[in-house]
C-alpha cells in the first residue's frame, strides 16, 4: 500500500509556457477613479494589453487569464490575474499576489519563508491603503462556502472595493509553516464582490438542463473553465470546475490546493483529494463516489493478471504482478497489450461506457484520472504522467467520449475513441448534488 500511495502522489507534473504581452502601465489611477469599471472591453484591452496573444479562459471570452503580468498596481506585486467581464464592462479582477504553485514553479520547487510571506502581505495591505485612502476592515472569513480558513480585509472608497485574503497552513508531517495564497479581489461595488463569492447550489433537476443532444451525441454544456496554468493543479482545478458548475463559485483551486496538499512540482495526492471531498459532502450538499480505480489493490491485481495473460499470447514482456507502483507499471506497459487487456472486446467497452452514459444523461460530469502518453493526444501541454480531467459527453455513432481539460478555452471540449479512453483510465469518480 505504501508503494501504491507513492505511485499516485504526483499528478499533473508538467511545464506549460503562456505568452501574454502587456503594455507598460499602472492600473492604480483607473482603479481609484473608478474608470476601470466604466471602460468598454475594447478600450481597456487597447489601453493595457499589447498585441493579440491573450489567454481566454472560456470560449465566451468573459474571463481573461494573465499568468505573469508586467503591468502594475502601484507598489503591489502581481501574480496570476483574472479579469472577468459582465457584458462589455469589467465586473471584477482577481489577483493572486502569491500562490505556492506558481512560486514553486518559478523557484525550483522552493517554498516561501514565513518572513517573506508576511512582508508580501503587509506590502499589499499598505499599497491598497495608500492607493484608496480607505482604512482596512477585518471581514468575516468563515463563509459557508469557504473550503479553508482565511484571514481577510476589505477597503471601500467612493469608486471601488478591494478585498484581500490570505491562507497559510501547518505541514501535517513536519509541523512547519506553509504559505498557501494571498488573493486580492477588486470590483466597483460590494455587490460585484458578493456576486463573485455567492453560493447558489444547483439541484439534480437544474443540471439536467445542461445536457445537449444532437443525434446520438450527448454533451454537458455550461461547465465553467478553470485554467490551472503551469502548476500541477489538475486535480484541484477539475474539482473547482465542478463546484462552480454546481453553483459554488467561491470554492477556487487555490483553496482546494490548500486542503489537498497540492504543490506545483508534486501535484495532488489524489487519494487525499478524494477523501477530503468526501468529508466536504455534508457541508456543500454534494456526494462523491468512486466508479473504479487502479489505486485499488484488488483492481490493480486484476489488471496485472489480465495484462500478463495477453502479453503471454502476444509473446511480449510481462509486468511484475507483485509491484504496486502504478506510475512505474504504466510507464513500462506495452500500449498494444494494454488496449487488448482493457478494451479488447465489445463487452469490456460497453461495461466501461455504461455508467458514463447514465451520468452524462443526468447532467453529471465524470472526474477522469488518466495516464497521459499512452495514446497520441496532439497539442497537450503535458506529454506524459498522471492527469485529471472531466468526461462531459459521448457519441454512440462515432464511438467516442467527449472530455475537457483544465488548460483554458482551447481544451474545453475534445474527443477520443472509447477504446483509447479505456486504455488510459486510472480512475473515475462522481461528484454531484445530494438532492
Amino acid at each position: 500500500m505504501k508503494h501504491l500511495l507513492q505511485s499516485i502522489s504526483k499528478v499533473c507534473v508538467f511545464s506549460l509556457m503562456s505568452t501574454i504581452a502587456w503594455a507598460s502601465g499602472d492600473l492604480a489611477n483607473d482603479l481609484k477613479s473608478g474608470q476601470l469599471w466604466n471602460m468598454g472591453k475594447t478600450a481597456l484591452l487597447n489601453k493595457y494589453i499589447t498585441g493579440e496573444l491573450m489567454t481566454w479562459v472560456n470560449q465566451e471570452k468573459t474571463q481573461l487569464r494573465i499568468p505573469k503580468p508586467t503591468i502594475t498596481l502601484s507598489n503591489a506585486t502581481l501574480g496570476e490575474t483574472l479579469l472577468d467581464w459582465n457584458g462589455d464592462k469589467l465586473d471584477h479582477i482577481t489577483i493572486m499576489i502569491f500562490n505556492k504553485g506558481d512560486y514553486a514553479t518559478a523557484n525550483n520547487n522552493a517554498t516561501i519563508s514565513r518572513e517573506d510571506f508576511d512582508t508580501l502581505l503587509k506590502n499589499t495591505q499598505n499599497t491598497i491603503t495608500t492607493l484608496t485612502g480607505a482604512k482596512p476592515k477585518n471581514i468575516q472569513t468563515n463563509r459557508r462556502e469557504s473550503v479553508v480558513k482565511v484571514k481577510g480585509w476589505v477597503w471601500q472608497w467612493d469608486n471601488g472595493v478591494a478585498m484581500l485574503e490570505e491562507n497559510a497552513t501547518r505541514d501535517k508531517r513536519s509541523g512547519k509553516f506553509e504559505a498557501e495564497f494571498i488573493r486580492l479581489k477588486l470590483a466597483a461595488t460590494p455587490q460585484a464582490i458578493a456576486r463573485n463569492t455567492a453560493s447558489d447550489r444547483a439541484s439534480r433537476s437544474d443540471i439536467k438542463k445542461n445536457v445537449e443532444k444532437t443525434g446520438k451525441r450527448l454533451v454537458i454544456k455550461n461547465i465553467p473553465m478553470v485554467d490551472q496554468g503551469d502548476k500541477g493543479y489538475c486535480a484541484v482545478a477539475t474539482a473547482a470546475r465542478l463546484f462552480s458548475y454546481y453553483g459554488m463559485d467561491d470554492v477556487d483551486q487555490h483553496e482546494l490546493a490548500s486542503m489537498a496538499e497540492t504543490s506545483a512540482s508534486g501535484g495532488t495526492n489524489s487519494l487525499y483529494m478524494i477523501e477530503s471531498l468526501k468529508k466536504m459532502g455534508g457541508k456543500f450538499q454534494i456526494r462523491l463516489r468512486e466508479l473504479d480505480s487502479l489505486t485499488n489493490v484488488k483492481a490493480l491485481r486484476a489488471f496485472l493478471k489480465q495484462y500478463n495473460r495477453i502479453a503471454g499470447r502476444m509473446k511480449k514482456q510481462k509486468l511484475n504482478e507483485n509491484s504496486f507502483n502504478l506510475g512505474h507499471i504504466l510507464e513500462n506497459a506495452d500500449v498494444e497489450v494494454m488496449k487488448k487487456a482493457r478494451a479488447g472486446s465489445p463487452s469490456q467497452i460497453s461495461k466501461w461506457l455504461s455508467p458514463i452514459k447514465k451520468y452524462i444523461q443526468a447532467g453529471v460530469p465524470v472526474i477522469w484520472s488518466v495516464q497521459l502518453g499512452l495514446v497520441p493526444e496532439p497539442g497537450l501541454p503535458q506529454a506524459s504522467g498522471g492527469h485529471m480531467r472531466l468526461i462531459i459527453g459521448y457519441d454512440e455513432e462515432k464511438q467516442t467520449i467527449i472530455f475537457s481539460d483544465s488548460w483554458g478555452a482551447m481544451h474545453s471540449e475534445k474527443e477520443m475513441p472509447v477504446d483509447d479512453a479505456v486504455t488510459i483510465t486510472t480512475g473515475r469518480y462522481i461528484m454531484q448534488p445530494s438532492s
Side-chain angles (χ1 to χ4, degrees):
M1 177 60 73
K2 177 180 178 182
H3 296 298
L4 179 58
L5 288 172
Q6 289 174 343
S7 72
I8 63 167
S9 64
K10 292 187 177 182
V11 180
C12 299
V13 181
F14 66 99
S15 175
L16 171 64
M17 296 302 294
S18 299
T19 54
I20 291 209
W22 280 79
S24 59
D26 191 340
L27 292 171
N29 288 335
D30 282 337
L31 174 65
K32 184 176 182 179
S33 69
Q35 182 59 25
L36 197 61
W37 316 111
N38 295 322
M39 287 187 217
K41 181 185 287 188
T42 301
L44 188 146
L45 295 179
N46 287 340
K47 182 170 184 178
Y48 289 111
I49 300 177
T50 299
E52 299 178 354
L53 296 177
M54 301 181 297
T55 301
W56 291 102
V57 174
N58 55 12
Q59 293 179 325
E60 297 78 17
K61 294 186 177 181
T62 61
Q63 186 180 77
L64 178 66
R65 175 178 175 267
I66 317 299
K68 298 177 181 179
T70 58
I71 203 167
T72 58
L73 179 63
S74 189
N75 295 321
T77 300
L78 306 189
E80 179 185 54
T81 299
L82 296 174
L83 289 83
D84 285 81
W85 277 268
N86 184 0
D88 190 51
K89 299 298 175 64
L90 189 63
D91 185 76
H92 61 273
I93 301 175
T94 304
I95 302 169
M96 298 309 298
I97 301 296
F98 167 87
N99 72 79
K100 67 178 180 182
D102 283 332
Y103 186 88
T105 300
N107 293 278
N108 296 318
N109 301 326
T111 57
I112 192 172
S113 69
R114 181 164 192 167
E115 292 73 20
D116 288 345
F117 181 81
D118 289 343
T119 297
L120 187 58
L121 179 63
K122 190 67 175 178
N123 176 66
T124 307
Q125 291 172 323
N126 291 339
T127 296
I128 301 301
T129 298
T130 301
L131 171 64
T132 65
K135 292 183 178 181
K137 295 181 180 179
N138 291 337
I139 59 174
Q140 180 63 262
T141 57
N142 61 341
R143 297 186 304 272
R144 187 175 55 167
E145 298 82 7
S146 294
V147 175
V148 293
K149 293 181 180 179
V150 295
K151 294 181 181 179
W153 302 265
V154 65
W155 293 257
Q156 186 170 354
W157 65 105
D158 290 343
N159 301 305
V161 179
M163 183 168 68
L164 185 67
E165 298 174 302
E166 63 98 349
N167 172 250
T169 61
R170 293 278 180 180
D171 185 272
K172 291 186 176 181
R173 290 172 288 274
S174 66
K176 293 182 180 179
F177 169 85
E178 186 171 357
E180 297 290 343
F181 62 81
I182 300 174
R183 178 175 57 205
L184 176 64
K185 297 179 180 179
L186 306 170
T189 65
Q191 289 75 22
I193 292 284
R195 281 201 303 273
N196 191 31
T197 60
S199 173
D200 185 15
R201 294 172 177 81
S203 66
R204 290 184 183 180
S205 59
D206 291 333
I207 60 177
K208 286 183 180 179
K209 300 173 184 176
N210 294 312
V211 180
E212 180 179 279
K213 183 175 182 180
T214 306
K216 292 188 176 182
R217 176 186 173 92
L218 267 72
V219 182
I220 301 174
K221 297 293 186 178
N222 304 318
I223 301 175
M225 174 57 71
V226 173
D227 193 333
Q228 69 186 79
D230 57 356
K231 303 176 286 297
Y233 273 24
C234 62
V236 293
T238 297
R241 295 181 68 187
L242 285 179
F243 276 114
S244 185
Y245 175 65
Y246 294 137
M248 293 164 273
D249 295 328
D250 198 42
V251 182
D252 77 1
Q253 63 176 325
H254 300 285
E255 293 190 7
L256 290 170
S258 175
M259 178 197 73
E261 299 183 335
T262 297
S263 67
S265 60
T268 303
N269 183 316
S270 54
L271 277 184
Y272 190 83
M273 180 72 191
I274 294 301
E275 289 305 312
S276 298
L277 289 174
K278 286 180 180 178
K279 291 177 182 177
M280 292 164 55
K283 178 178 179 180
F284 292 104
Q285 298 174 15
I286 61 165
R287 61 188 180 95
L288 186 138
R289 62 184 293 259
E290 177 185 297
L291 297 181
D292 50 50
S293 175
L294 286 181
T295 63
N296 178 288
V297 174
K298 184 177 180 180
L300 183 58
R301 285 189 181 278
F303 158 69
L304 288 170
K305 288 185 178 183
Q306 175 69 359
Y307 179 96
N308 286 339
R309 280 196 291 268
I310 301 297
R313 294 175 195 165
M314 298 177 68
K315 300 187 183 305
K316 294 195 175 186
Q317 185 174 349
K318 296 182 179 181
L319 296 171
N320 181 2
E321 292 190 22
N322 294 317
S323 173
F324 295 102
N325 188 324
L326 181 58
H328 180 75
I329 289 170
L330 296 178
E331 287 171 5
N332 289 277
D334 181 276
V335 176
E336 186 180 1
V337 176
M338 277 195 68
K339 186 170 288 190
K340 286 185 178 295
R342 307 195 77 191
S345 69
S347 62
Q348 285 176 304
I349 292 177
S350 178
K351 183 178 179 180
W352 187 89
L353 195 56
S354 179
I356 299 291
K357 292 180 178 180
K358 170 188 171 183
Y359 287 107
I360 297 302
Q361 290 166 8
V364 178
V366 178
I367 299 173
W368 187 28
S369 179
V370 301
Q371 181 76 10
L372 297 182
L374 295 175
V375 300
E377 292 191 65
L380 287 190
Q382 180 183 349
S384 62
H387 180 55
M388 192 169 279
R389 51 182 33 154
L390 290 174
I391 296 176
I392 62 171
Y394 63 91
D395 191 319
E396 283 194 295
E397 184 173 350
K398 294 169 63 178
Q399 281 293 290
T400 60
I401 58 101
I402 302 157
F403 66 98
S404 181
D405 284 313
S406 53
W407 291 317
M410 293 180 63
H411 298 272
S412 60
E413 188 174 308
K414 299 179 286 187
E415 288 190 53
M416 178 183 291
V418 176
D419 58 348
D420 281 353
V422 178
T423 301
I424 69 173
T425 298
T426 56
R428 295 181 297 169
Y429 308 88
I430 296 299
M431 189 172 84
Q432 65 183 132
S434 56
S435 61

